[in-house]
Amino acid sequence: MAASFSPPATEGSRRGAFHRRMAWLFGLQTVAVAALCVLGVTQVLPALAVLGLIVVLGALGWLIARRQWRQVRRLAKAVSSWDERKADIGEWTPGELPSRADADVAALAEGLYGFAHRIAGYNQRERNFTRDASHELRSPLTVIKMSADMLADEPTLGEFGQRSVQRIKRATREMEALVEALLILARESDKGLTEEDFVVNDVLERELRDVRELLEGRPVTLRLDEPARFALHGSPRVFAVLCWQLIRNACQQAEEGTIVITVHPGAVTVTNRVEMGPDGVDRHGFELAIAQRISERFAWPLELQTRDGNQHVARIRFPQPLPASAA
């Protein structure tokens, strides 16, 4: 709940004070410049003296205006350094404003504080909901997975039943990947994630084995091209979840053909060809939205490109790659 702020009794008299002071400043400056011009025309003062005094008046006016603008500049600095996960905007929190703060600036600070408080609360509620929902989903997914494994070993199960069990297992694997991605996004910090040096090529090979099982029966093939090998320091699970989401998004879009995962120096690309639907609309899946959130969270930039109209390329860049021998 945003904190309430009761403005002081003198706020009415100070509202618009900044504009009044600026009006007085430039009004007096205009009068002084006009008087100097008259003195110069009547030759009461030399032209050089008049010009010098006008320059001095301009400099004084600029210094005074700069001083008056200082509060707005400090407020802008506080907003630019504001962390959206927190409601604090420094000294501009209502109730802690300077006693001589302009009422208009105080009203702006109060509005910004309320907005920051609502955004921080929304982010916290979103993390709590995602974390709680993900934890609640883990137990039934484990039960479904164990039951499917037991059914697959049943000797009396027919061919149709075996196909159904395989579909259940594939759907369970997809749900497990989604829950894991949501749990990663629900973390308030990177604490709890195991960090190590790992080779991205090895992680991709393991993930592709699982994805190939999901694609069984579909005319879609996966190919891993490795013109480069490199390592990263971080969480291999986060990297795997990010790549899984991009590959799954490509699989959802591709009706047939080949999806190419390429390891470049310091980057990984997922390329697929998409045939546009009858309405001409290209639909991006939920997996891509999750991948974008993860890339922003861990500062691994994700770039999306479209080539030749229907060839989609998702590129993840890693700012600090390591040689493969480091892992």
Side-chain angles (χ1 to χ4, degrees):
M1 183 67 67
S4 60
F5 171 59
S6 300
T10 58
E11 179 180 337
S13 62
R14 290 191 292 111
R15 185 171 295 279
F18 175 78
H19 297 88
R20 289 195 295 270
R21 287 194 293 268
M22 290 297 99
W24 274 105
L25 171 64
F26 288 108
L28 292 174
Q29 190 178 37
T30 301
V31 171
V33 170
L36 287 173
C37 290
V38 171
L39 293 176
V41 170
T42 58
Q43 297 184 351
V44 174
L45 289 176
L48 289 177
V50 171
L51 182 61
L53 289 173
I54 290 177
V55 172
V56 171
L57 284 174
L60 288 175
W62 180 80
L63 289 173
I64 296 173
R66 186 171 181 268
R67 180 181 178 84
Q68 295 298 324
W69 190 255
R70 184 179 300 171
Q71 291 184 4
V72 179
R73 188 168 64 250
R74 288 165 56 194
L75 178 59
K77 184 178 179 181
V79 172
S80 64
S81 60
W82 168 60
D83 184 355
E84 65 179 12
R85 294 171 296 182
K86 302 177 182 178
D88 182 32
I89 54 175
E91 62 180 312
W92 297 100
T93 302
E96 300 180 8
L97 294 172
S99 58
R100 297 179 60 84
D102 184 87
D104 290 333
V105 175
L108 181 60
E110 180 186 1
L112 289 172
Y113 176 78
F115 174 75
H117 206 88
R118 289 194 297 273
I119 291 295
Y122 169 78
N123 288 337
Q124 183 63 43
R125 290 192 298 273
E126 182 186 28
R127 285 194 298 269
N128 291 341
F129 173 78
T130 305
R131 182 180 61 249
D132 296 342
S134 301
H135 280 300
E136 290 297 325
L137 285 172
R138 275 189 161 184
S139 296
L141 281 175
T142 302
V143 173
I144 294 173
K145 187 176 180 180
M146 294 176 61
S147 300
D149 291 338
M150 294 175 63
L151 281 174
D153 296 334
E154 182 64 37
T156 60
L157 192 64
E159 182 181 352
F160 177 78
Q162 288 288 348
R163 290 199 301 268
S164 298
V165 169
Q166 292 303 317
R167 285 197 295 269
I168 293 173
K169 294 174 71 173
R170 287 196 293 268
T172 304
R173 178 66 184 91
E174 292 181 5
M175 283 298 298
E176 284 181 330
L178 176 60
V179 168
E180 191 163 8
L182 293 177
L183 281 173
I184 289 173
L185 292 176
R187 293 180 185 272
E188 296 185 5
S189 65
D190 299 341
K191 295 179 179 179
L193 295 173
T194 302
E195 292 190 354
E196 59 185 73
D197 293 338
F198 62 93
V199 179
V200 300
N201 306 64
D202 299 339
V203 176
L204 285 172
E205 288 177 359
R206 291 195 298 268
E207 292 303 310
L208 288 180
R209 284 197 293 268
D210 291 339
V211 180
R212 287 190 179 100
E213 293 180 3
L214 297 178
L215 292 175
E216 185 178 353
R218 291 182 55 186
V220 178
T221 59
L222 297 176
R223 189 176 80 232
L224 177 62
D225 290 346
E226 304 177 78
R229 286 180 64 87
F230 68 94
L232 291 175
H233 179 76
S235 170
R237 196 60 225 155
V238 172
F239 173 80
V241 169
L242 174 57
C243 293
W244 171 277
Q245 299 301 324
L246 293 178
I247 296 171
R248 284 289 298 136
N249 180 72
C251 294
Q252 294 287 354
Q253 290 184 338
E255 297 293 335
E256 60 182 12
T258 302
I259 298 172
V260 182
I261 299 90
T262 309
V263 181
H264 302 278
V268 174
T269 62
V270 179
T271 306
N272 65 289
R273 187 172 295 276
V274 179
E275 298 297 333
M276 304 296 285
D279 53 0
V281 178
D282 174 29
R283 297 179 177 85
H284 290 293
F286 182 58
E287 297 87 358
L288 187 59
I290 294 179
Q292 289 175 325
R293 294 283 297 275
I294 295 176
S295 71
E296 294 171 359
R297 174 73 178 276
F298 294 92
W300 292 338
L302 173 62
E303 302 170 355
L304 304 176
Q305 300 176 350
T306 301
R307 300 173 182 171
D308 301 329
N310 60 355
Q311 188 180 45
H312 289 192
V313 179
R315 178 188 300 272
I316 319 167
R317 291 190 296 105
F318 303 96
Q320 298 177 331
L322 303 173
S325 58

